[in-house]
Structure formats: structure tokens, C-alpha cells
Amino acid sequence: MNGKGGLPTRWWPWLFAAGIFVAFFLHLQGIPLFDLDEGAFSEATREMLVNHDFLTTYLNGVPRYAKPILIYWFQAASVSIFGVHTFAFRLPSALAAVAWMLAIFAFVRPRFGREAAYAAGLLATCSMGVAIIGRAAIADSLLNLFLALSAFDVYRYYETGRAAPRNRVFLWMALGFLTKGPIAMLAVPVSLLFFGLRGEWRAWARAAFSPVGWAIFLAIAAPWYIAEYLHQGQAFIDSFFLKNNFGRYGGHAMQGHGGDIFYYVFAVLLMLLPFSGWLLRLLGRLRAVRGEPLDQFIWLWFGFTFVFFSFSHTKLPHYILYGCTPLFVLFARYREHIRSRWVAFLPVLLFGALVLALPEISRLVAARTSDAYVAAMLARGPAVFGLGYYVVALIGFAGALWLTFWPPRWPVWQRSLLAALLALFVLMQALLPAVGQLKQEPVMEAGLLAKKLGGTVVMWRINMPSFSVYRQAITPSGRPKPGEMVFTNVNHLPELAHMGRYQLVYSSGGIVLARFLGPQTK
């Protein structure tokens, strides 16, 4: 048993393993791909395999320069083994997330002990932002792994001065550069600030200008970029670097993903759920970091990421996760400082109440919205929010409420972790499947039907590339011609009717598959 009267020591490995399974593998196949991002990555990977082109990615037949190549290679390998299935597209991200959690565990254990290492792993695993990104068929789980590994090795280099961790930093940055581009270099400014604050300029310069390190980086990262430039020319440079990297930061907000300077104040609390209160409680330790090298490193890592993305013109909530890995180390180190029930349990109880209220909220929104697509999507709610949904949600909420007060001999932070594990189960067993059924199941059904029927299909006034994944064929965007099928949503049916006659082939949840018959005859 735990010497302090808390959780039995033998429970920790099993809890960590349970958290990893629920977060990254439960319903990995059963929940449809989410558009836009999961659909886009998955369809680009499918086209890579069909085209036998492992250099340039295409999305519905158009070159896609938005992200580098590494995640597509991993997804292609998975699909080659398991087939064109949701599970295969998501598996590389799930495995990367497991490695990410193990990297946190391996960093914390020699510094703060076995219990702290399991606590850090569970804190990360049960954070809802990490759990959702960790299973998504996109590049961010893999990127977060490389960001964590590079930053941890920066600190190991600070501790030891050895060449091995220094060289590994360049290895991880190179792999991250192949995963998502320049953001993989986050360890450079963070290490500069940290070593400068510690007065270790020479040690930083030895690492930053290491010929061996840069040789490793260039040997791994450069070949694909050079080959892609030689193959695609200036279009690749303009789209990838100028538009999708520098443009996202300094240009106009892309795809409407903007926000004010305070955007990430709320985003970080959302991504850390249900541990948002832990962050607010431990912000008070900022006054005590002056003599603590690791605390300084943690806050600089998080703080630089927070400030950097706060000034970006394009903002998405999961960008802040690039700076959240160190917070889980901090939370684990100072876990005994979490003594207030309400700091620990109010976020998880609010989450449970929201899950229970969601069916009624969706009904009210469906009744009041003027958007025909949203109304039709939410009208499926009674079929989606069934008895199983309520049973899981009630068990999760009741369990979290019980843990708020019992067993009193267990520390609050330990009960908070157990409540978070329950909330994670509710998220993956009830909430995400329900959202997937409402938003994406009709897209999947339409895609499978279109595959069965065959013929030409165009995507009109809609951008849901998962349709092409399920159809297993390119679906170009454009104006339909007579005899072609149209994939769209109900908002655009009046305009389609104005263009000519059409016959509905499929309609559910606001998603429509129709055969366009041509202009109206007089």
C-alpha cells in the first residue's frame, strides 16, 4: 500500500495502461473520420497509395502542400497492412501518443520518482486535448512527440553537458521538421532563453552551432524538401513556407481561424480539462522558480509557446498543446499542493453536467437555428443520444461526485486523477461517438453508397474530404453536369434546384447525395 494511505502502489501501472487504452485506442475504428483535417490527411494518404507517389501528396487530385511528408508515410504503411479503414489512418497517431506519454514518464521518473512518473503520464493521458489530438489522423500527435523528446533532451544536455542528448535534439527536430515544418524548431528559442537565464551562453552556443548536430538535422530533413522542390518548383515554396507557415503566423487568419490576444487564455484551460484548476493553483509557484532550473525550463517552454501563438494571426486551440507537455511534469512534481476539492473536481463535474445536458441543448439549438444543415444534423439527436449514452454519462458524473468526497484518506490529487480517468471514459465511450454519429456518420453513409453506385460524383459547396475516403475515389469540387451525382448539404439544395432538376439519392443529417438531371425543360 501507499505509505501515505493513498492508492495502492500496484495500481499505478494498471491505471496508466487503462488511461492509454481509453484515450488512444477505444473506438479508434468505430468513430467516423472528422472533417476537415482527419478527412484531408486520410484522403491524401489514400491517393498516395493509389498513385504510387510517395513524394507529393494530393487531395482530390490537387497537390496538397499544407504539411510535410512523414505522417503520410506512416499512415500509408499502416493502410498497406490493415487496409483502408479508419483504424489504419489513426493508428500512427495513437502509437505516437503512446510514445509521447512514455517520454513524459521516462523524463519524470529519475527526477521525482516512480509515483510522480505515473502521475505525470496519467495527467497527460487524461487531459482531453491530448486524448483527442493523440488519436486523430493528423500530424499533431507525432509532432508533439518530437517536440517533447527534443525539449527533454535539451534539459538532459543542460544537466550533463554530454554530446549524446545534444545530438538527439537535432534528430528529434529533424523528424519534427518532416512532420509539420518550422514549428519543430521550438527547442531552439526555448533553450536560448533558458541557457541565457542560467548564464550558460557558451554551453548553448556549443549545442546550437554543433557541426555534428546540424549534419544529423540536414541528413534527415533536407532530402525530402529538396526533392519536393525539384519536383514541384516554386509552387511548393509559396504554398508550404510562405502560405501555410509564415502566412499562418503573420498573414491573414486562414480558414476563419482567428482570435484576439486572449484566445489562448481560454484555449489552454480547455485543452487541459479536467486539470484546468491545477494550472490555476500552481501559477502561484511562479514566484518560487528563481532557484529551480527545471521549473524555469518548464515555465519558459510553456510561456514562450503561449506568447508566440498568442501573436499568430491563425489560431487553433490545439496549437497550445505544443507547450503543455512541461505542465504535466510540473503538475506531477507539485501534486501534493492540490488539496482543494473544488480546484480539483469542479472542472470534471462541470464536464459531466454538460455531457448529461447535451441532448437537451442539441434539441433546443435544432428548434431555434435558422441553418437548415445544423437543424437537420441535430434532428438526429433522439436516435443518437440513447439509453447507453445516458448510462455512461450518469456513471461518470456519479463516480466523479463520489470521488469528490470519498475515500477521504486518499489525497485529493489522487482522487482527481481517478475522476479524470472516468471523464476520459465518458468522452471516448459516449461523447465522441455521439458527435461522430451526428456530424460524420451521414458523410460516411453517403460515401459508401456512392462507392456502391459508381459513376461521377462532384463535391459542391461543401468540403468534407472523408467522403472521398469512404467512396475510395477522388471527388473533385465543381458545378455538376447532367447525369452526375452531387455531394452537398441541404443548405445548397435551393441553389441546385435553381440550376435544374435533381433526384435525391441519399439525405440524412443534412448531408445530401443527389443526381443532377439537368436544366429545367419548358
Side-chain angles (χ1 to χ4, degrees):
M1 294 288 289
N2 187 299
K4 298 180 181 179
L7 285 169
T9 302
R10 66 180 181 277
W11 285 22
W12 286 108
W14 295 105
L15 290 172
F16 188 29
I20 285 175
F21 172 76
V22 173
F24 308 127
F25 296 99
L26 183 63
H27 295 308
L28 199 64
Q29 169 65 24
I31 301 173
L33 294 167
F34 284 95
D35 287 307
L36 177 67
D37 287 349
E38 277 199 305
F41 275 90
S42 300
E43 173 57 15
T45 295
R46 191 196 66 79
E47 290 180 39
M48 172 184 283
L49 290 167
V50 171
N51 298 335
H52 300 287
D53 182 349
F54 297 94
L55 179 63
T56 303
T57 53
Y58 293 83
L59 179 57
N60 282 319
V62 178
R64 185 175 197 249
Y65 303 126
K67 300 294 182 290
I69 201 68
L70 191 57
I71 187 61
Y72 298 107
W73 285 344
F74 286 154
Q75 287 186 346
S78 179
V79 171
S80 296
I81 296 170
F82 298 106
V84 182
H85 300 294
T86 304
F87 169 83
F89 290 115
R90 288 176 172 154
L91 182 61
S93 291
L95 295 177
V98 174
W100 178 14
M101 301 304 101
L102 294 177
I104 295 172
F105 180 91
F107 182 79
V108 173
R109 182 174 179 178
R111 289 162 183 82
F112 307 118
R114 184 181 177 88
E115 183 184 77
Y118 281 120
L122 266 174
L123 283 157
T125 301
C126 294
S127 295
M128 294 188 183
V130 172
I132 292 171
I133 288 297
R135 61 168 42 226
I138 60 176
D140 284 81
S141 181
L142 192 62
L143 175 65
N144 273 288
L145 167 63
F146 295 136
L147 289 175
L149 290 170
S150 61
F152 287 154
D153 274 329
V154 164
Y155 194 78
R156 291 185 181 105
Y157 169 68
Y158 166 78
E159 288 180 317
T160 66
R162 295 172 57 197
R166 179 189 70 199
N167 292 336
R168 288 198 303 268
V169 173
F170 286 91
L171 168 66
W172 308 132
M173 289 195 304
L175 291 170
F177 209 87
L178 276 176
T179 301
K180 210 169 181 182
I183 188 59
M185 310 291 287
L186 186 63
V188 175
V190 171
S191 63
L192 174 61
L193 291 171
F194 174 66
F195 279 77
L197 184 64
R198 304 297 298 177
E200 299 281 353
W201 294 105
R202 291 183 179 179
W204 183 84
R206 282 196 302 271
F209 300 101
S210 166
V212 174
W214 282 109
I216 292 170
F217 181 90
L218 292 173
I220 294 170
W224 177 78
Y225 282 92
I226 294 171
E228 182 70 343
Y229 172 69
L230 293 174
H231 186 237
Q232 296 292 323
Q234 190 62 31
F236 167 64
I237 301 297
D238 291 345
S239 181
F240 178 75
F241 285 104
L242 300 184
K243 178 183 177 181
N244 284 287
N245 281 277
F246 302 126
R248 280 179 182 269
Y249 191 84
H252 297 291
M254 294 186 65
Q255 299 172 336
H257 297 307
D260 61 28
I261 197 71
F262 300 107
Y263 180 94
Y264 285 107
V265 173
F266 303 100
V268 70
L269 297 177
L270 179 65
M271 290 292 102
L272 290 175
L273 277 173
F275 303 113
S276 313
W278 289 48
L279 176 62
L280 298 176
R281 171 65 182 85
L282 293 178
L283 279 172
R285 286 210 53 82
L286 272 170
R287 296 170 299 188
V289 303
R290 190 169 299 173
E292 292 282 350
L294 183 53
D295 282 14
Q296 288 177 345
F297 184 68
I298 285 170
W299 285 116
L300 284 170
W301 180 356
F302 170 72
F304 179 84
T305 308
F306 183 90
V307 172
F308 179 81
F309 282 107
S310 291
F311 285 96
S312 174
H313 284 196
T314 300
K315 293 181 171 70
L316 285 167
H318 65 269
Y319 289 172
I320 198 62
L321 283 180
Y322 306 155
C324 284
T325 294
L327 294 180
F328 303 126
V329 178
L330 185 81
F331 292 172
R333 182 177 187 180
Y334 297 108
R335 60 198 183 280
E336 299 289 352
H337 290 242
I338 306 300
R339 301 189 184 97
S340 166
R341 287 194 188 102
W342 302 115
V343 164
F345 291 99
L346 184 59
V348 76
L349 291 173
L350 289 175
F351 169 76
L354 177 63
V355 173
L356 282 169
L358 188 61
E360 181 61 19
I361 293 172
S362 69
R363 187 188 68 79
L364 292 174
V365 172
R368 287 166 172 77
T369 185
S370 59
D371 189 308
Y373 169 62
V374 173
M377 177 177 64
L378 295 180
R380 300 176 73 242
V384 170
F385 298 112
L387 178 61
Y389 177 92
Y390 282 105
V391 168
V392 172
L394 280 169
I395 289 173
F397 183 78
L401 189 62
W402 183 79
L403 286 165
T404 304
F405 302 98
W406 301 95
R409 63 188 178 85
W410 289 3
V412 169
W413 70 267
Q414 291 187 355
R415 288 186 275 132
S416 176
L417 281 179
L418 293 177
L421 190 56
L422 275 175
L424 178 68
F425 180 73
V426 171
L427 174 68
M428 296 304 174
Q429 181 66 25
L431 183 57
L432 267 189
V435 174
Q437 283 182 269
L438 284 175
K439 185 178 185 296
Q440 295 296 149
E441 189 175 69
V443 181
M444 178 182 69
E445 291 175 351
L448 293 174
L449 178 59
K451 177 186 176 184
K452 180 180 178 181
L453 294 175
T456 302
V457 184
V458 296
M459 199 176 296
W460 189 62
R461 308 291 193 194
I462 194 172
N463 188 14
M464 289 186 162
S466 69
F467 174 81
S468 297
V469 179
Y470 296 116
R471 183 176 168 241
Q472 294 193 29
I474 290 172
T475 311
S477 297
R479 188 183 181 92
K481 299 176 183 178
E484 293 181 340
M485 279 199 293
V486 186
F487 173 64
T488 188
N489 68 42
V490 293
N491 285 343
H492 306 300
L493 285 181
E495 187 177 354
L496 187 64
H498 182 73
M499 291 165 51
R501 296 174 297 117
Y502 66 86
Q503 178 184 15
L504 282 179
V505 177
Y506 173 89
S507 180
S508 178
I511 293 297
V512 169
L513 192 62
R515 190 175 300 280
F516 184 64
L517 302 177
Q520 297 282 357
T521 56
K522 293 183 181 180

